[in-house]
Structures are given as C-alpha cells and as structure tokens.
Amino acid sequence: MTLQETAEKSMKIRNIYHRLEKEIHGKEWNTEDALAFLTDAALVGRLIMAKEGRWPSSEESMLPSKIGECVWWLAVLAEENGLSFADCVETFLKEKEEFLKQE
C-alpha cells in the first residue's frame, strides 16, 4: 500500500468515526485528534518497554496494532490540516538523507 492509499483509507475510517462522534457527543472531534494520537503514541512506548521487561503489562501483543493506529492518526492529522501525508513523509526522509550525507 502506498502512503497516498494509506491516507485515503485513513480518512474514510476517520469519517465514519466523525459520524459516531456526532451521534454520541453531538459534534466531531477536532483538536482531540492530536490528543488521541499522543495517547496512542505513549502506549506504543509503554508496550515496547513491556516487551523488554521494563514495564508491567500483559498486552505486548497489542504493539503492532498500536503502531498501525499511530500511523493512521498521523495520516489523519496531516490530511485534516491540509497537508499530504505522503508528501510529509517523503519530505522528511529526503531531508534526513541529505543531512546525513553531509556528515
């Protein structure tokens, strides 16, 4: 799957969640998306610590799903802020490659 396809699928799923948010809370999440991403990113850290025996948890099997969820959130956050998820990733990687060639 390409990054563009990832972004498109992510937005389709996000739109379904927006409908649920309207039903349950009366409005869509907006800034809460960033907070939800941060919560999931922190959970990835905890799950990695647990996998290495440095944090008590029996849920290490959730790690692949939570990493995927973080990618999903990043795609959503980019697209909802008028940015291309694919362009963001590609630009970052290109900048890092160029920076590391200079050392």
Side-chain angles (χ1 to χ4, degrees), residues 26-55:
K27 65 177 187 164
E28 295 177 359
W29 280 13
N30 289 309
T31 55
E32 293 93 334
D33 286 0
L35 296 174
F37 162 68
L38 292 173
T39 299
D40 287 325
L43 187 52
V44 167
R46 292 271 173 97
L47 292 171
I48 289 171
M49 290 172 66
K51 184 178 177 197
E52 294 186 1
R54 299 180 183 273
W55 188 265

mmCIF file of all heavy atoms in Angstrom, residues 26-55:
data_model
loop_
_atom_site.group_PDB
_atom_site.id
_atom_site.type_symbol
_atom_site.label_atom_id
_atom_site.label_comp_id
_atom_site.label_asym_id
_atom_site.label_seq_id
_atom_site.Cartn_x
_atom_site.Cartn_y
_atom_site.Cartn_z
ATOM 1 N N GLY A 26 -22.568 14.693 19.977
ATOM 2 C CA GLY A 26 -23.213 15.844 19.386
ATOM 3 C C GLY A 26 -22.326 16.669 18.474
ATOM 4 O O GLY A 26 -22.771 17.623 17.860
ATOM 5 N N LYS A 27 -21.041 16.345 18.394
ATOM 6 C CA LYS A 27 -20.122 17.045 17.496
ATOM 7 C C LYS A 27 -18.904 16.169 17.230
ATOM 8 O O LYS A 27 -18.620 15.227 17.966
ATOM 9 C CB LYS A 27 -19.682 18.390 18.072
ATOM 10 C CG LYS A 27 -18.867 18.294 19.339
ATOM 11 C CD LYS A 27 -18.402 19.668 19.811
ATOM 12 C CE LYS A 27 -17.440 19.496 20.977
ATOM 13 N NZ LYS A 27 -16.688 20.698 21.246
ATOM 14 N N GLU A 28 -18.205 16.535 16.155
ATOM 15 C CA GLU A 28 -16.987 15.809 15.796
ATOM 16 C C GLU A 28 -15.826 16.222 16.693
ATOM 17 O O GLU A 28 -15.774 17.341 17.165
ATOM 18 C CB GLU A 28 -16.576 16.135 14.348
ATOM 19 C CG GLU A 28 -17.530 15.689 13.303
ATOM 20 C CD GLU A 28 -17.075 16.110 11.914
ATOM 21 O OE1 GLU A 28 -16.030 16.768 11.760
ATOM 22 O OE2 GLU A 28 -17.792 15.766 10.959
ATOM 23 N N TRP A 29 -14.889 15.290 16.866
ATOM 24 C CA TRP A 29 -13.621 15.657 17.476
ATOM 25 C C TRP A 29 -12.853 16.507 16.481
ATOM 26 O O TRP A 29 -12.969 16.342 15.287
ATOM 27 C CB TRP A 29 -12.775 14.429 17.722
ATOM 28 C CG TRP A 29 -13.097 13.632 18.920
ATOM 29 C CD1 TRP A 29 -14.203 13.709 19.710
ATOM 30 C CD2 TRP A 29 -12.290 12.588 19.449
ATOM 31 N NE1 TRP A 29 -14.137 12.785 20.699
ATOM 32 C CE2 TRP A 29 -12.970 12.078 20.567
ATOM 33 C CE3 TRP A 29 -11.073 12.036 19.102
ATOM 34 C CZ2 TRP A 29 -12.459 11.035 21.336
ATOM 35 C CZ3 TRP A 29 -10.570 11.004 19.858
ATOM 36 C CH2 TRP A 29 -11.256 10.517 20.966
ATOM 37 N N ASN A 30 -12.043 17.400 16.966
ATOM 38 C CA ASN A 30 -11.135 18.166 16.117
ATOM 39 C C ASN A 30 -9.763 18.192 16.768
ATOM 40 O O ASN A 30 -8.916 17.390 16.433
ATOM 41 C CB ASN A 30 -11.675 19.573 15.850
ATOM 42 C CG ASN A 30 -12.866 19.536 14.917
ATOM 43 O OD1 ASN A 30 -12.799 18.921 13.860
ATOM 44 N ND2 ASN A 30 -13.959 20.160 15.285
ATOM 45 N N THR A 31 -9.557 19.076 17.717
ATOM 46 C CA THR A 31 -8.259 19.112 18.392
ATOM 47 C C THR A 31 -8.041 17.844 19.210
ATOM 48 O O THR A 31 -6.890 17.485 19.487
ATOM 49 C CB THR A 31 -8.149 20.335 19.321
ATOM 50 O OG1 THR A 31 -9.245 20.333 20.233
ATOM 51 C CG2 THR A 31 -8.163 21.622 18.524
ATOM 52 N N GLU A 32 -9.112 17.165 19.564
ATOM 53 C CA GLU A 32 -8.980 15.919 20.314
ATOM 54 C C GLU A 32 -8.216 14.865 19.526
ATOM 55 O O GLU A 32 -7.631 13.952 20.104
ATOM 56 C CB GLU A 32 -10.356 15.357 20.706
ATOM 57 C CG GLU A 32 -11.106 16.203 21.699
ATOM 58 C CD GLU A 32 -12.058 17.196 21.028
ATOM 59 O OE1 GLU A 32 -11.835 17.596 19.870
ATOM 60 O OE2 GLU A 32 -13.032 17.580 21.688
ATOM 61 N N ASP A 33 -8.203 14.982 18.197
ATOM 62 C CA ASP A 33 -7.454 14.031 17.376
ATOM 63 C C ASP A 33 -5.976 14.023 17.757
ATOM 64 O O ASP A 33 -5.355 12.972 17.856
ATOM 65 C CB ASP A 33 -7.591 14.355 15.889
ATOM 66 C CG ASP A 33 -8.952 13.999 15.325
ATOM 67 O OD1 ASP A 33 -9.809 13.492 16.076
ATOM 68 O OD2 ASP A 33 -9.163 14.236 14.121
ATOM 69 N N ALA A 34 -5.410 15.198 17.955
ATOM 70 C CA ALA A 34 -3.999 15.285 18.320
ATOM 71 C C ALA A 34 -3.759 14.639 19.685
ATOM 72 O O ALA A 34 -2.763 13.943 19.887
ATOM 73 C CB ALA A 34 -3.529 16.736 18.330
ATOM 74 N N LEU A 35 -4.668 14.855 20.608
ATOM 75 C CA LEU A 35 -4.532 14.248 21.930
ATOM 76 C C LEU A 35 -4.677 12.730 21.863
ATOM 77 O O LEU A 35 -3.969 11.994 22.555
ATOM 78 C CB LEU A 35 -5.558 14.841 22.892
ATOM 79 C CG LEU A 35 -5.409 16.321 23.176
ATOM 80 C CD1 LEU A 35 -6.576 16.824 24.030
ATOM 81 C CD2 LEU A 35 -4.083 16.611 23.848
ATOM 82 N N ALA A 36 -5.594 12.259 21.028
ATOM 83 C CA ALA A 36 -5.769 10.816 20.873
ATOM 84 C C ALA A 36 -4.505 10.188 20.292
ATOM 85 O O ALA A 36 -4.072 9.117 20.735
ATOM 86 C CB ALA A 36 -6.976 10.526 19.987
ATOM 87 N N PHE A 37 -3.888 10.861 19.307
ATOM 88 C CA PHE A 37 -2.638 10.361 18.756
ATOM 89 C C PHE A 37 -1.561 10.274 19.832
ATOM 90 O O PHE A 37 -0.859 9.274 19.956
ATOM 91 C CB PHE A 37 -2.145 11.239 17.599
ATOM 92 C CG PHE A 37 -0.690 11.026 17.303
ATOM 93 C CD1 PHE A 37 -0.245 9.825 16.771
ATOM 94 C CD2 PHE A 37 0.247 12.000 17.587
ATOM 95 C CE1 PHE A 37 1.106 9.606 16.532
ATOM 96 C CE2 PHE A 37 1.587 11.804 17.356
ATOM 97 C CZ PHE A 37 2.024 10.595 16.817
ATOM 98 N N LEU A 38 -1.434 11.322 20.625
ATOM 99 C CA LEU A 38 -0.400 11.333 21.670
ATOM 100 C C LEU A 38 -0.616 10.220 22.685
ATOM 101 O O LEU A 38 0.342 9.610 23.161
ATOM 102 C CB LEU A 38 -0.357 12.699 22.357
ATOM 103 C CG LEU A 38 0.145 13.837 21.486
ATOM 104 C CD1 LEU A 38 -0.013 15.165 22.213
ATOM 105 C CD2 LEU A 38 1.577 13.608 21.062
ATOM 106 N N THR A 39 -1.866 9.948 22.997
ATOM 107 C CA THR A 39 -2.182 8.856 23.921
ATOM 108 C C THR A 39 -1.737 7.524 23.333
ATOM 109 O O THR A 39 -1.109 6.703 24.016
ATOM 110 C CB THR A 39 -3.695 8.836 24.216
ATOM 111 O OG1 THR A 39 -4.043 10.079 24.819
ATOM 112 C CG2 THR A 39 -4.073 7.696 25.137
ATOM 113 N N ASP A 40 -2.040 7.307 22.063
ATOM 114 C CA ASP A 40 -1.633 6.051 21.419
ATOM 115 C C ASP A 40 -0.116 5.956 21.272
ATOM 116 O O ASP A 40 0.461 4.882 21.443
ATOM 117 C CB ASP A 40 -2.327 5.893 20.064
ATOM 118 C CG ASP A 40 -3.801 5.568 20.220
ATOM 119 O OD1 ASP A 40 -4.154 4.846 21.180
ATOM 120 O OD2 ASP A 40 -4.604 6.028 19.398
ATOM 121 N N ALA A 41 0.535 7.076 20.957
ATOM 122 C CA ALA A 41 1.992 7.068 20.842
ATOM 123 C C ALA A 41 2.637 6.719 22.181
ATOM 124 O O ALA A 41 3.601 5.953 22.238
ATOM 125 C CB ALA A 41 2.496 8.424 20.344
ATOM 126 N N ALA A 42 2.083 7.261 23.258
ATOM 127 C CA ALA A 42 2.603 6.930 24.583
ATOM 128 C C ALA A 42 2.403 5.453 24.889
ATOM 129 O O ALA A 42 3.279 4.802 25.482
ATOM 130 C CB ALA A 42 1.916 7.788 25.648
ATOM 131 N N LEU A 43 1.272 4.910 24.464
ATOM 132 C CA LEU A 43 1.016 3.489 24.687
ATOM 133 C C LEU A 43 2.016 2.629 23.918
ATOM 134 O O LEU A 43 2.462 1.590 24.418
ATOM 135 C CB LEU A 43 -0.417 3.133 24.304
ATOM 136 C CG LEU A 43 -0.874 1.722 24.632
ATOM 137 C CD1 LEU A 43 -0.614 1.363 26.099
ATOM 138 C CD2 LEU A 43 -2.347 1.565 24.320
ATOM 139 N N VAL A 44 2.411 3.051 22.724
ATOM 140 C CA VAL A 44 3.444 2.326 21.973
ATOM 141 C C VAL A 44 4.722 2.267 22.807
ATOM 142 O O VAL A 44 5.355 1.224 22.928
ATOM 143 C CB VAL A 44 3.711 2.969 20.593
ATOM 144 C CG1 VAL A 44 4.984 2.427 19.959
ATOM 145 C CG2 VAL A 44 2.530 2.738 19.667
ATOM 146 N N GLY A 45 5.086 3.398 23.400
ATOM 147 C CA GLY A 45 6.277 3.416 24.259
ATOM 148 C C GLY A 45 6.164 2.449 25.412
ATOM 149 O O GLY A 45 7.100 1.700 25.718
ATOM 150 N N ARG A 46 5.015 2.439 26.068
ATOM 151 C CA ARG A 46 4.807 1.517 27.186
ATOM 152 C C ARG A 46 4.863 0.061 26.732
ATOM 153 O O ARG A 46 5.417 -0.798 27.415
ATOM 154 C CB ARG A 46 3.459 1.795 27.851
ATOM 155 C CG ARG A 46 3.398 3.115 28.571
ATOM 156 C CD ARG A 46 3.875 2.940 30.012
ATOM 157 N NE ARG A 46 4.002 4.183 30.711
ATOM 158 C CZ ARG A 46 3.096 4.703 31.524
ATOM 159 N NH1 ARG A 46 1.950 4.098 31.705
ATOM 160 N NH2 ARG A 46 3.333 5.834 32.146
ATOM 161 N N LEU A 47 4.274 -0.237 25.587
ATOM 162 C CA LEU A 47 4.269 -1.615 25.083
ATOM 163 C C LEU A 47 5.672 -2.080 24.708
ATOM 164 O O LEU A 47 6.024 -3.240 24.920
ATOM 165 C CB LEU A 47 3.310 -1.744 23.892
ATOM 166 C CG LEU A 47 1.831 -1.591 24.233
ATOM 167 C CD1 LEU A 47 0.992 -1.503 22.965
ATOM 168 C CD2 LEU A 47 1.354 -2.732 25.126
ATOM 169 N N ILE A 48 6.475 -1.175 24.163
ATOM 170 C CA ILE A 48 7.869 -1.527 23.862
ATOM 171 C C ILE A 48 8.633 -1.763 25.155
ATOM 172 O O ILE A 48 9.413 -2.718 25.268
ATOM 173 C CB ILE A 48 8.530 -0.444 22.990
ATOM 174 C CG1 ILE A 48 7.934 -0.502 21.577
ATOM 175 C CG2 ILE A 48 10.052 -0.616 22.949
ATOM 176 C CD1 ILE A 48 8.344 0.634 20.671
ATOM 177 N N MET A 49 8.398 -0.918 26.157
ATOM 178 C CA MET A 49 9.036 -1.128 27.460
ATOM 179 C C MET A 49 8.603 -2.471 28.049
ATOM 180 O O MET A 49 9.428 -3.213 28.603
ATOM 181 C CB MET A 49 8.685 0.016 28.414
ATOM 182 C CG MET A 49 9.324 1.333 28.043
ATOM 183 S SD MET A 49 8.701 2.710 29.046
ATOM 184 C CE MET A 49 9.305 2.267 30.666
ATOM 185 N N ALA A 50 7.336 -2.806 27.921
ATOM 186 C CA ALA A 50 6.833 -4.074 28.441
ATOM 187 C C ALA A 50 7.474 -5.246 27.715
ATOM 188 O O ALA A 50 7.849 -6.256 28.341
ATOM 189 C CB ALA A 50 5.310 -4.138 28.307
ATOM 190 N N LYS A 51 7.610 -5.121 26.421
ATOM 191 C CA LYS A 51 8.230 -6.190 25.620
ATOM 192 C C LYS A 51 9.647 -6.464 26.096
ATOM 193 O O LYS A 51 10.115 -7.603 26.073
ATOM 194 C CB LYS A 51 8.222 -5.783 24.149
ATOM 195 C CG LYS A 51 8.735 -6.838 23.218
ATOM 196 C CD LYS A 51 8.642 -6.375 21.778
ATOM 197 C CE LYS A 51 9.248 -7.440 20.884
ATOM 198 N NZ LYS A 51 9.547 -6.929 19.574
ATOM 199 N N GLU A 52 10.337 -5.435 26.548
ATOM 200 C CA GLU A 52 11.710 -5.574 27.031
ATOM 201 C C GLU A 52 11.778 -5.829 28.537
ATOM 202 O O GLU A 52 12.844 -5.782 29.136
ATOM 203 C CB GLU A 52 12.510 -4.338 26.650
ATOM 204 C CG GLU A 52 12.669 -4.207 25.152
ATOM 205 C CD GLU A 52 13.578 -3.071 24.748
ATOM 206 O OE1 GLU A 52 14.124 -2.372 25.625
ATOM 207 O OE2 GLU A 52 13.738 -2.888 23.533
ATOM 208 N N GLY A 53 10.617 -6.054 29.150
ATOM 209 C CA GLY A 53 10.589 -6.363 30.574
ATOM 210 C C GLY A 53 10.801 -5.170 31.473
ATOM 211 O O GLY A 53 11.135 -5.315 32.642
ATOM 212 N N ARG A 54 10.589 -3.978 30.977
ATOM 213 C CA ARG A 54 10.827 -2.768 31.761
ATOM 214 C C ARG A 54 9.543 -2.065 32.186
ATOM 215 O O ARG A 54 9.588 -1.013 32.785
ATOM 216 C CB ARG A 54 11.706 -1.808 30.966
ATOM 217 C CG ARG A 54 13.063 -2.417 30.659
ATOM 218 C CD ARG A 54 13.917 -1.446 29.882
ATOM 219 N NE ARG A 54 15.178 -2.035 29.514
ATOM 220 C CZ ARG A 54 16.259 -2.026 30.274
ATOM 221 N NH1 ARG A 54 16.231 -1.487 31.463
ATOM 222 N NH2 ARG A 54 17.371 -2.579 29.841
ATOM 223 N N TRP A 55 8.396 -2.653 31.855
ATOM 224 C CA TRP A 55 7.112 -2.089 32.254
ATOM 225 C C TRP A 55 6.132 -3.235 32.422
ATOM 226 O O TRP A 55 6.038 -4.093 31.556
ATOM 227 C CB TRP A 55 6.606 -1.116 31.186
ATOM 228 C CG TRP A 55 5.396 -0.350 31.619
ATOM 229 C CD1 TRP A 55 4.094 -0.670 31.371
ATOM 230 C CD2 TRP A 55 5.372 0.826 32.404
ATOM 231 N NE1 TRP A 55 3.260 0.247 31.945
ATOM 232 C CE2 TRP A 55 4.024 1.186 32.595
ATOM 233 C CE3 TRP A 55 6.358 1.624 32.975
ATOM 234 C CZ2 TRP A 55 3.644 2.299 33.322
ATOM 235 C CZ3 TRP A 55 5.973 2.728 33.683
ATOM 236 C CH2 TRP A 55 4.625 3.065 33.855
#
